[in-house]
Amino acid sequence: RSDWQEQVLAKEKQEPMSNFETSRGPMEDVQARDEANEVNLHIAVYEDNDTRWLGRGVVAKNHRGQVKTAWAMRDKGTNISILDLAETVRLALIKARGKNWPELKVHIPHKQLLSSLMSRKTKDIRLATMIDDIANLGFLFKKCSFYLDIANDNISKSVSTYAVGICIDEEWN
């Protein structure tokens, strides 16, 4: 057998790496052993009107609501809130992938972005590109679900506000 044939056979035996899910409603009850693997990502974006700097805050919590990790990131942004939030979701998924977390629940505080993610349709080509990137990143996880963040996580909001004043991105574990 050639190396190529062995690679093809190996790929055929592999299980799919992800189930891309979206949901609008309340989180479903899952078994305790499954919950232990889930990480809840809470996302927030803050724009300082004076400096025009954008603060991105991402907080990862375990199934008990305890903070596992937080990221604060700063840049200039696009001045279009839904695009800035979509970019923050994309960056959060990249950071989560680096942590090798198998199951994510991503809490998005923007109804229109969640709707666009669910339908995978939008009229804005820039947002369409972001949504495709987010969807493709979601497939890298065993499970990646998106929810509307009704509670508006205060920790991620605080981190995003803090991020406006930093010079380099920060991570806390």
Side-chain angles (χ1 to χ4, degrees), residues 1 9 12 14 78 82 86 104 108 110 115 144 148 171:
R1 280 188 187 161
L9 287 173
E12 288 174 356
Q14 287 179 345
T78 65
I82 193 168
L104 294 182
I108 299 173
H110 196 285
S115 177
C144 184
L148 183 61
E171 176 178 342

Side-chain angles (χ1 to χ4, degrees), residues 115-150:
S115 177
S116 295
L117 275 169
M118 290 173 62
S119 66
R120 304 248 338 238
K121 294 179 183 175
T122 183
K123 294 178 183 178
D124 185 328
I125 190 69
R126 296 169 297 180
L127 184 57
T129 301
M130 286 285 183
I131 287 171
D132 284 345
D133 286 351
I134 292 167
N136 288 331
L137 285 165
F139 287 126
L140 297 175
F141 298 91
K142 180 180 173 187
K143 181 180 176 184
C144 184
S145 305
F146 297 89
Y147 298 88
L148 183 61
D149 190 0
I150 299 167

